[in-house]
Structure formats: structure tokens, C-alpha cells
Amino acid sequence: MSTEEILARAKHVPMSARKVRRVIDQVRGLDADKALDVLSFLPHAAARPVAKLIHSAIANADENFGIPRDNLYVARIVADEGPGVMPGKGRRQRFGGRGRWRPIRKRSSHITVALEERD
């Protein structure tokens, strides 16, 4: 039994981690090909970066470990919060209550997927 994890990470994805978690909860534990099929039919905007990331993890498994894509499944997938201000965008503000300023929060996320070989 192989406990080797094949990792792929996407950092600074320009959407909130909460929106990404809606999508990744639907593919956790599925076979890699089945997960890509499910993602292709989801209407959420987060489905595209998650699908690209799973494609990347499949390519990592084939290139670095020689594991065929038929034996892979999504063992672990998480979405963490990234920085509140996107790099290169600077700080932006808008009007708040009682004549004050409030920051505009441009949320981002870091997505990590770990594939494992199914026995």
C-alpha cells in the first residue's frame, strides 16, 4: 500500500475561500476522472480553478511518480484564506457609515489538493 501523496497548490486565486469550499466539498473522495466530470457541470466560478488544479495534480502523478490517472482519487482538498489585499492592487476604500471610510476587501484563497493511489 502506497501512502505517497501527490500535491498541487494554487495560490492567490481571486475568490473567497468560502465560495471555493462550496465546490471542493462536492469532489472530495471521488476518483480523479469522476471529479473532473463533476466539475465540468458545476455552474460555480470556482469550478474552473479547482479543475485546473486537479489536472495539474494528475500530471504531477504521471510525470514524477509514474502513476496512471485511473488509479488516483482525491484524498484531501482544502481551501485556505489568502491575503485580503491582492498583490499589486493596493488598498482601496469606500464610504462607510457616519462619514467614515471602510476598506474594500478583495478576498483570495489558496487551494491545495492531494491525490493518492487507490489499491
Side-chain angles (χ1 to χ4, degrees), residues 25-46:
D25 288 340
Q26 297 183 27
V27 297
R28 189 176 287 123
L30 295 178
D31 289 337
D33 288 330
K34 178 70 174 170
L36 291 173
D37 290 341
V38 168
L39 289 170
S40 67
F41 289 105
L42 287 179
H44 308 295

Side-chain angles (χ1 to χ4, degrees), residues 10-97:
K11 291 188 160 193
H12 304 289
V13 177
M15 63 186 63
S16 70
R18 186 174 176 179
K19 291 179 182 178
V20 176
R21 287 184 194 121
R22 247 186 348 185
V23 171
I24 65 174
D25 288 340
Q26 297 183 27
V27 297
R28 189 176 287 123
L30 295 178
D31 289 337
D33 288 330
K34 178 70 174 170
L36 291 173
D37 290 341
V38 168
L39 289 170
S40 67
F41 289 105
L42 287 179
H44 308 295
R48 185 169 179 178
V50 172
K52 284 178 69 173
L53 188 62
I54 292 177
H55 273 295
S56 176
I58 290 170
N60 289 343
D62 186 33
E63 184 68 27
N64 299 335
F65 299 102
I67 301 172
R69 69 187 297 157
D70 302 333
N71 300 341
L72 295 174
Y73 75 100
V74 181
R76 187 171 55 91
I77 184 167
V78 294
D80 300 319
E81 290 185 8
V85 177
M86 292 296 291
K89 298 291 183 178
R91 295 200 172 267
R92 303 200 176 162
Q93 295 180 337
R94 66 178 189 185
F95 291 110

